[in-house]
Coordinates of all heavy atoms in Angstrom, one line a residue:
V194 N 108.4 84.5 60.4 CA 108.4 85.0 59.1 C 108.9 86.6 59.2 O 108.5 87.3 60.0 CB 106.9 85.2 58.5 CG1 106.8 85.8 57.2 CG2 106.1 83.8 58.5
T406 N 92.6 109.4 114.1 CA 93.2 109.6 112.8 C 93.9 108.4 112.1 O 93.7 108.1 111.1 CB 94.1 110.8 113.0 OG1 93.3 112.0 113.2 CG2 94.8 111.2 111.5
V411 N 94.4 104.6 107.7 CA 94.7 103.4 106.9 C 93.6 102.6 106.2 O 93.8 101.7 105.4 CB 95.3 102.3 108.2 CG1 96.6 102.9 108.7 CG2 94.4 102.0 109.1
D421 N 103.4 105.3 100.3 CA 104.6 105.1 99.4 C 105.2 106.4 99.2 O 106.4 106.6 99.2 CB 104.3 104.3 98.2 CG 104.0 102.9 98.5 OD1 104.4 102.3 99.6 OD2 103.4 102.3 97.7
A519 N 94.1 133.1 157.7 CA 94.5 133.9 156.4 C 96.0 134.0 156.3 O 96.6 133.7 155.4 CB 93.8 135.3 156.5

Side-chain angles (χ1 to χ4, degrees):
V194 180
T406 297
V411 295
D421 289 343

